[in-house]
């Protein structure tokens, strides 16, 4: 698949917090590419570093080594002011909790146009207003909502405002950090549909961060499973469900509750025990075990994984 | 199946809240039988009244809310008539205990975990000093917290989310209640931790012979834990049945909508079916079937007359005109009809 354009390339990324003795490595040796127009999902438990990676791409968290490339240009570490502005415009973020991520004291109009104001992306007020209204309409809200405050909206509508705020900047890449975890069942489907529709109409690329594998299957093209700051498996969505190889992926899959009582009653819960890996002599590598299917393991494990593939 | 013993029975319960001089009908004639030793799951959107309904079993309604009709029979008494805290304290915690959604807020951050468990034991079991401590340690061990001796003297902030929820469960279960109400016990937790907590509750239920009520909006969790399911919408139970009947043979259009909107059943490249619109405003009087305005296949009578319960089987009933013999033939939507096959296929 050489012809597909890589929008984001992440090479040997490491992110640490703190200094000296308190230094904590949150993300280590992370490598992946995101192709233009795809939905790439990052799945893992809380504390696994999935959000940290998303925030590093949008330049919220500094990186300590490795590279993040956006359209072939390095965007982590020290970069020129122009490029910084460019990245902020082109890479937007949607947050998890719509109750906490909107400024309670600002009207929707201001919330949505704040990015435009900061970057002077409009000629006059009329153009700004028009841009806001277009963004609101695109996410399925009425233009007159612009004069209201966030508390007047339900959770689903608030999440739509959050999406409109990202859209108004005309981004190419959106990091969606658990955008539906805090929403009600009936609204989840609406927001997922909206994200999918926008992806097609605007040609967006998503990095979708989630902890629930079952939701991710429906929306993603490729899925990476991350554990303790390391990506342990990466494959196309259906392939990952057909051939989960790494024990952590299997444990995650077994933990997801499925809406089928008969299956649920029979299901066996797998618990991931990191001590099953003996990496003292045989060092683990990140290997493409099948076309497009990567897994992290040492030679002995990879041998077993190869036998498992259907 | 032998006739099971009913441990709690709610009949035509009505609950009203007064807000700014207006009356909000949060629960509109809800009836429910809870069978001993079983697990009942109550599902519904936020605002459907599932929490309010179960809170009325322990007398924990907010000050502006009250039970205005119906009865709740528990242990031969109508507990809906209870007025004073003294009456409630005989039930709450002792006989019916509750586990709340967010373990971050349901523990006291200023008290050591051990002390918080001991409080409940001292109050309800009358144990004192060393004995109470021993019982508390035992509880910690029972809910799967390693190193109970050390953990006993720690504060809630030293615990992770999953461990904190285990502590909350320990407090609730410490006085061996007959009924344990779990209000979204795992929504704030990770999937892997969620699975462990659900497992823990199931073990405790078997060991202590408890009856469990789950309140949740996650149908995956329901499939995992429930024996029986009640689907709530706009302050009413609209469908009630055994878990298999609800998942494989649902009849209420709202249950259909909930099932079809699940991302787990979605087909890639196609839009997920959604539930348009919003639940009705409970300040107003609702005419007919509350779900009708959001139901694309609603019948004319749905807007005029409220449907009664129709029996699908001995254990399964649904409140919809679709089941009336005079109704036009309506098929279950494909997502519901095919649920079993589809899930099998995906393995």
């Amino acid at each position: 698949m050489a012809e597909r354009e890589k929008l984001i390339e992440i090479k040997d990324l490491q992110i640490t917090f703190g200094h000296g003795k308190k230094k904590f490595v949150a993300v280590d040796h992370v490598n992946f590419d995101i192709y233009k127009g795809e939905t790439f999902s990052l799945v893992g438990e809380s504390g696994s570093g999935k959000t940290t990676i998303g925030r590093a791409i949008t330049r919220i968290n500094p990186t300590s080594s490795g590279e993040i490339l956006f359209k072939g240009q390095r965007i982590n570490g020290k970069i020129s002011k122009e490029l910084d502005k460019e990245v902020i415009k082109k890479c937007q973020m949607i947050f998890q909790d719509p109750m906490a991520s909107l400024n309670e004291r600002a009207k929707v109009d201001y919330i949505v146009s704040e990015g435009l104001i900061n970057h002077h992306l409009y000629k006059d007020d009329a153009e700004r207003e028009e841009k806001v209204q277009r963004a609101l309409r695109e996410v399925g809200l009425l233009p007159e909502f612009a004069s209201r405050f966030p508390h007047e909206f339900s959770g689903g509508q608030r999440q739509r405002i959050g999406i409109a705020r990202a859209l108004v900047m005309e981004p190419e890449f959106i990091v969606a950090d658990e955008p539906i975890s805090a929403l009600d069942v009936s609204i989840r489907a609406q927001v997922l549909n909206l994200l999918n529709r926008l992806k097609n109409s605007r040609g967006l690329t998503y990095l979708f961060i989630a902890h629930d594998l079952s939701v991710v299957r429906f929306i993603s093209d490729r899925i990476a499973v991350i554990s303790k700051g390391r990506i342990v498996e990466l494959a196309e969505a259906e392939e990952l469900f057909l051939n989960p190889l790494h024990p952590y992926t299997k444990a995650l899959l077994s933990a997801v509750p499925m809406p089928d009582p008969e299956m649920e009653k029979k299901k066996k819960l797998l618990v991931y025990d990191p001590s099953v890996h003996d990496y003292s002599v045989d060092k683990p590598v990140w290997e493409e075990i099948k076309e497009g299917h990567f897994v992290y393991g040492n030679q002995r494990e990879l041998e077993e994984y190869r036998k498992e593939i259907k | 199946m032998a006739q099971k013993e009913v441990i709690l029975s709610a009949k035509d319960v009505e609950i009203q809240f007064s807000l700014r001089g207006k009356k909000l009908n949060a629960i509109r004639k809800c009836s429910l039988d809870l069978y001993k030793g079983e697990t009942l799951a109550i599902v519904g959107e936020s605002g459907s009244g599932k929490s309010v309904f179960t809170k009325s079993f322990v007398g924990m309604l907010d000050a502006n809310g009250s039970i205005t009709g119906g009865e709740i029979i528990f242990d031969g008494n109508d507990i809906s008539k209870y007025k004073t805290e003294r009456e409630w304290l005989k039930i709450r915690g002792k006989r019916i205990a509750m586990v709340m959604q967010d373990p971050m807020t349901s523990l006291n951050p200023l008290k050591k975990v051990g002390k918080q468990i001991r409080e409940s034991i001292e109050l309800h079991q009358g144990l004192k000093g060393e004995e109470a401590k021993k019982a508390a340690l035992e509880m910690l061990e029972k809910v799967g917290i390693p190193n109970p001796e050390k953990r006993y003297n720690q504060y809630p902030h030293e615990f992770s989310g999953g461990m904190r929820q285990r502590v909350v469960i320990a407090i609730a279960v410490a006085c061996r209640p007959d009924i344990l109400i779990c209000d979204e016990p795992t929504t704030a937790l990770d999937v892997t931790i969620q699975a462990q907590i659900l497992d823990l509750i199931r073990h405790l239920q078997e060991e202590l012979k408890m009856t469990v009520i789950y309140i949740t909006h996650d149908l995956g969790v329901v499939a995992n834990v429930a024996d029986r399911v009640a689907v709530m919408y706009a302050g009413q139970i609209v469908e009630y049945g055994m878990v298999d009947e609800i998942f494989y043979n649902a009849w209420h259009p709202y249950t259909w909508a909930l099932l079809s909107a699940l991302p787990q059943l979605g087909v890639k490249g196609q839009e997920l079916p959604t539930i348009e619109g919003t639940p009705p405003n409970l300040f107003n009087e609702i005419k007919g079937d509350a779900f009708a305005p959001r139901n694309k296949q609603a019948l004319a009578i749905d807007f005029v007359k409220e449907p009664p319960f129709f029996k699908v089987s001995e254990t399964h009933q649904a409140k919809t005109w679709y089941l009336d013999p005079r109704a036009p033939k309506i098929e279950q939507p494909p997502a519901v009809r095919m649920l079993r096959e589809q899930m099998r296929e995906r393995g």
Side-chain angles (χ1 to χ4, degrees):
Chain A
M1 281 186 279
E3 73 277 12
R4 287 175 75 183
E5 191 191 334
K6 288 174 185 168
L7 193 69
I8 298 274
E9 290 166 71
I10 292 183
K11 289 182 181 152
D12 249 340
L13 183 71
Q14 190 194 49
I15 301 170
T16 55
F17 293 103
H19 300 282
K21 268 188 189 161
K22 280 189 186 153
K23 191 165 137 176
F24 177 76
V25 182
V27 172
D28 203 6
H29 293 289
V30 164
N31 287 289
F32 62 82
D33 302 327
I34 302 175
Y35 298 109
K36 197 172 165 52
E38 79 169 344
T39 303
F40 185 90
S41 291
L42 211 47
V43 182
E45 279 173 87
S46 35
S48 60
K50 52 194 192 311
T51 302
T52 311
I53 295 177
R55 290 168 69 98
I57 297 173
T58 48
R59 294 185 54 77
I60 300 173
N61 280 347
T63 55
S64 53
S65 76
E67 277 190 325
I68 302 174
L69 304 181
F70 177 68
K71 291 185 174 171
Q73 266 178 308
R74 192 172 65 89
I75 58 165
N76 62 329
K78 276 213 171 86
I79 57 171
S80 70
K81 250 196 177 131
E82 291 81 60
L83 184 59
D84 188 31
K85 281 204 158 166
E86 173 83 8
V87 172
I88 293 174
K89 259 187 274 175
K90 295 291 177 211
C91 301
Q92 286 289 314
M93 198 152 175
I94 300 169
F95 297 93
Q96 170 169 9
D97 187 355
M99 294 297 167
S101 60
L102 301 178
N103 183 350
E104 287 291 336
R105 305 178 129 225
K107 285 183 180 163
V108 171
D109 181 48
Y110 178 76
I111 293 173
V112 176
S113 57
E114 192 167 17
L116 296 175
I117 296 167
N118 288 346
H119 289 270
H120 307 293
L121 292 177
Y122 56 96
K123 284 197 292 292
D124 46 32
D125 236 22
E127 193 189 337
R128 182 184 60 82
E129 249 165 55
E130 203 226 274
K131 277 188 173 182
V132 169
Q133 303 212 339
R134 203 173 49 211
L136 286 177
R137 228 174 285 130
E138 224 168 333
V139 296
L141 295 173
L142 297 172
E144 54 261 36
F145 287 178
S147 60
R148 296 190 191 169
F149 286 98
H151 71 257
E152 297 175 67
F153 296 94
S154 67
Q157 285 175 320
R158 278 166 168 245
Q159 195 58 296
R160 285 169 195 263
I161 296 171
I163 297 173
R165 168 171 67 182
L167 280 184
V168 81
M169 303 298 287
E170 286 168 19
E172 290 176 32
F173 178 67
I174 290 184
V175 177
D177 190 354
E178 308 235 15
I180 59 162
S181 316
L183 301 178
D184 220 31
V185 254
S186 58
I187 299 159
R188 281 187 180 183
Q190 292 176 12
V191 171
L192 283 181
N193 281 345
L194 174 66
L195 288 174
N196 261 341
R197 220 177 295 141
L198 290 171
K199 176 180 158 187
N200 296 333
S201 65
R202 289 259 193 142
L204 292 172
T205 307
Y206 291 124
L207 172 63
F208 198 92
I209 298 171
H211 68 241
D212 187 341
L213 264 173
S214 65
V215 173
V216 156
R217 181 183 196 172
F218 167 70
I219 192 163
S220 10
D221 297 306
R222 289 191 304 149
I223 300 174
V225 179
I226 182 169
S227 163
K228 304 242 162 69
R230 228 170 224 291
I231 294 189
V232 295
E233 192 160 0
L234 191 165
E236 303 227 329
E238 288 309 311
E239 165 71 13
L240 189 77
F241 279 83
L242 186 67
N243 282 322
L245 296 176
H246 198 276
Y248 182 70
T249 314
K250 288 181 188 163
L252 264 189
L253 275 176
S254 86
V256 173
M258 295 306 262
D260 182 339
E262 281 174 16
M263 250 166 71
E264 277 297 310
K265 301 254 146 85
K266 273 186 275 173
K267 180 176 84 174
K268 259 226 188 98
L269 187 62
L270 302 172
V271 177
Y272 175 57
D273 176 12
S275 63
V276 296
H277 308 291
D278 178 16
Y279 291 155
S280 53
V281 193
D282 197 354
K283 293 281 177 256
V285 286
W286 177 239
E287 177 139 317
E288 184 165 12
I289 199 158
K290 194 176 160 185
E291 201 195 328
H293 190 155
F294 295 82
V295 66
Y296 182 74
N298 61 19
Q299 293 309 323
R300 193 178 51 80
E301 286 173 333
L302 290 174
E303 206 46 58
E304 276 168 34
Y305 295 158
R306 277 198 191 92
K307 277 185 222 150
E308 271 182 49
I309 292 182
K310 284 170 206 153
Chain B
M1 202 167 49
Q3 199 62 43
K4 285 203 173 150
E5 193 188 334
V6 176
I7 183 165
L8 184 140
S9 161
K11 266 198 200 82
D12 294 333
V13 173
E14 289 174 35
I15 296 173
Q16 278 190 344
F17 286 90
S18 55
L19 274 170
R20 290 175 227 114
K22 284 199 282 186
K23 290 263 180 270
L24 180 129
N25 300 304
I27 301 295
R28 305 179 296 132
K29 287 200 187 293
C30 257
S31 301
L32 182 78
D33 282 336
L34 188 62
Y35 295 89
K36 199 170 176 175
E38 280 197 347
T39 306
L40 168 78
I42 303 181
V43 238
E45 291 174 76
S46 14
S48 60
K50 50 195 196 311
S51 285
V52 169
F53 187 41
T54 46
K55 271 185 183 166
S56 71
F57 300 165
V58 283
M60 274 172 49
L61 292 177
D62 290 339
N64 60 348
S66 60
I67 301 176
T68 50
E71 49 181 25
I72 304 169
I73 306 288
F74 176 65
D75 213 16
N77 297 318
D78 182 1
I79 57 175
S80 71
K81 301 286 180 298
Y82 281 11
K83 286 279 177 302
T84 60
E85 278 297 291
R86 256 181 74 192
E87 286 172 303
W88 275 117
L89 282 178
K90 280 187 226 146
I91 304 276
R92 188 195 301 148
K94 221 173 231 148
R95 311 287 309 275
I96 307 180
M98 204 155 180
V99 173
M100 300 287 185
Q101 172 171 2
D102 190 356
M104 304 289 170
T105 51
S106 48
L107 290 171
N108 184 342
L110 299 175
K111 273 188 183 162
K112 285 178 184 165
V113 158
K115 197 167 174 202
Q116 297 190 43
I117 301 176
R118 234 174 85 177
E119 246 176 19
S120 137
I121 292 172
E122 284 173 355
L123 189 67
H124 293 293
Q125 294 187 356
L127 297 176
K128 288 260 145 53
E130 278 302 303
E131 264 181 89
K133 183 175 177 183
K134 227 183 93 202
L137 285 174
E138 216 173 90
M139 260 346 284
L140 277 175
E141 204 169 343
K142 208 170 247 170
V143 295
I145 293 180
N147 267 329
E149 293 275 350
K150 184 180 153 216
R151 291 300 212 171
Y152 185 88
N153 282 318
Q154 284 185 335
Y155 289 95
H157 74 262
E158 294 171 86
F159 285 68
S160 67
M163 283 297 159
R164 245 178 271 190
Q165 195 60 295
R166 283 173 196 265
V167 173
V168 176
I169 293 171
I171 295 174
V173 176
C175 27
R176 317 281 145 116
D178 298 316
I179 301 176
L180 182 70
I181 301 173
C182 304
D183 190 351
E184 310 242 8
T186 56
T187 334
L189 303 175
D190 254 355
V191 265
T192 40
I193 312 292
Q194 163 173 303
Q196 293 169 16
I197 295 287
L198 296 180
D199 234 27
L200 170 69
I201 296 177
R202 190 171 356 207
H203 280 295
L204 289 173
Q205 178 182 14
E206 273 168 34
E207 200 183 323
L208 305 173
K209 312 248 176 309
M210 289 187 298
T211 308
V212 178
I213 303 179
Y214 272 96
I215 303 169
T216 177
H217 62 233
D218 188 337
L219 283 164
V221 171
V222 174
N224 183 295
V225 300
D227 296 311
R228 256 171 237 268
V229 183
V231 182
M232 274 190 91
Y233 184 74
Q236 286 183 327
I237 291 177
V238 294
E239 188 158 10
Y240 183 61
M242 304 301 288
V243 65
D244 289 9
E245 293 169 328
I246 298 290
F247 276 88
Y248 304 130
N249 191 25
W251 270 105
H252 197 278
Y254 181 62
T255 319
W256 291 348
L258 276 183
L259 285 169
S260 330
L262 283 173
Q264 285 98 322
L265 295 174
V267 183
K268 218 171 260 179
Q270 283 178 21
E271 295 243 313
L272 279 172
T274 56
I275 314 176
E276 298 300 330
T278 48
N281 187 344
L282 294 174
F283 279 118
N284 307 331
E285 202 182 324
I286 291 162
K287 218 175 162 202
D289 185 350
F291 187 62
R294 297 170 82 183
N295 181 4
K296 287 179 202 114
Q297 288 179 293
L299 307 172
I301 191 169
D302 279 334
F303 295 96
V304 186
K305 201 166 171 225
E306 191 181 321
F309 270 106
F310 287 95
K311 268 200 174 162
V312 181
S313 75
E314 268 313 300
T315 48
H316 181 191
Q317 45 187 342
K319 197 178 166 68
T320 168
W321 286 117
Y322 287 178
L323 291 168
D324 191 279
R326 288 162 293 174
K329 201 168 157 41
I330 285 185
E331 279 209 329
Q332 289 162 318
V336 176
R337 257 183 295 139
M338 307 289 287
L339 189 130
R340 197 178 307 200
E341 290 76 27
Q342 231 177 333
M343 295 307 296
R344 287 306 124 80
E345 205 178 283
R346 300 187 177 201

